[in-house]
Amino acid sequence: MTRISFILWALMLVTWCAMRYPAMRRARRQKTRVDRRSTLDISLLVLCTVGLVVLPILWRLHAFDGFADRGQGIIPLILGLLSGIAFLWLFRRSHKDLGKNWSVTLEVREGHQLVTQGVYAHVRHPMYASFLLWGVTQALLIPNWIAGFAGLAAVLALYAVRQSREEAMMRDTFGAEYDAYSARTKRLIPGIF
């Protein structure tokens, strides 16, 4: 069961990479108008890479030598598969809706527009929501207390730090239009939070 869980996790990682690559190539061609990247921002992105990618691979390579392993059942495997499908769908949809406005860091592009359609009509931060789903997926599929939950912890830290800074940047850029958008949408979960 552990092998199947890891294979599912790895397939989701490869799918995520395949989805992210075109957006990253497109973003490199876009000129940046506002850049609010910081050392903390970059450090948190590195932490997410370690938590979501490196630690599960190290776990599978037996670097933990069984430390903090837990049993893997069929229920977590099925729930992990379902949350992984939701993660990949939301991630793809977020990228598609953002188009040329997407950036991996806190940046506003030349000609940047406030996106309020698609999944952005329901939540302001669907990309973060997708990453939180990735963290949940990993916690369900990687049966190790450290490698399984490291991604979720890293994404929560990233969200806690960046969310307010990102919203401030959007307010500075779009003013009352962003305030009106914020008033009618929730941050991560439609109608709830």
Side-chain angles (χ1 to χ4, degrees):
M1 195 76 67
T2 299
R3 178 179 287 211
I4 293 169
S5 287
F6 183 79
I7 289 169
L8 287 173
W9 173 87
L11 287 172
M12 288 178 195
L13 176 63
V14 169
T15 303
W16 175 81
C17 289
M19 289 180 190
R20 177 72 97 172
Y21 181 72
M24 290 186 78
R25 285 192 58 192
R26 186 173 50 247
R28 283 190 203 115
R29 292 190 297 259
Q30 300 294 318
K31 290 187 179 183
T32 300
R33 191 175 82 200
V34 176
D35 185 346
R36 298 225 178 133
R37 287 178 293 178
S38 68
T39 303
L40 177 60
D41 185 47
I42 302 303
S43 299
L44 288 168
L45 290 171
V46 170
L47 181 66
C48 284
T49 301
V50 170
L52 290 167
V53 179
V54 175
L55 287 178
I57 291 171
L58 288 175
W59 169 79
R60 186 63 188 152
L61 295 173
H62 306 290
F64 290 71
D65 198 28
F67 176 74
D69 282 355
R70 63 179 199 275
Q72 177 66 302
I74 190 73
I75 301 291
L77 188 138
I78 291 169
L79 292 174
L81 176 62
L82 293 174
S83 66
I85 290 168
F87 143 61
L88 290 171
W89 177 85
L90 186 56
F91 180 79
R92 175 69 179 133
R93 188 75 249 161
S94 300
H95 266 297
K96 192 156 184 64
D97 291 342
L98 277 177
K100 293 180 179 181
N101 298 301
W102 176 79
S103 172
V104 74
T105 59
L106 296 178
E107 297 174 317
V108 174
R109 304 285 184 198
E110 291 285 333
H112 200 111
Q113 298 174 339
L114 180 62
V115 176
T116 60
Q117 78 280 355
V119 292
Y120 288 86
H122 307 285
V123 291
R124 294 192 302 275
H125 302 290
M127 190 74 68
Y128 290 122
S130 75
F131 276 88
L132 288 167
L133 280 170
W134 185 1
V136 168
T137 299
Q138 182 170 305
L140 290 164
L141 292 178
I142 303 296
N144 179 277
W145 292 105
I146 297 168
F149 284 90
L152 185 57
V155 171
L156 285 169
L158 177 73
Y159 177 75
V161 170
R162 277 183 48 169
Q163 176 272 141
S164 61
R165 292 177 58 225
E166 185 172 319
E167 290 202 352
M169 182 179 71
M170 298 304 277
R171 256 187 203 91
D172 290 348
T173 304
F174 297 107
E177 184 183 5
Y178 189 77
D179 289 336
Y181 171 64
S182 294
R184 69 178 182 268
T185 56
K186 297 295 184 182
R187 285 190 174 110
L188 294 171
I189 304 169
I192 298 172
F193 173 76

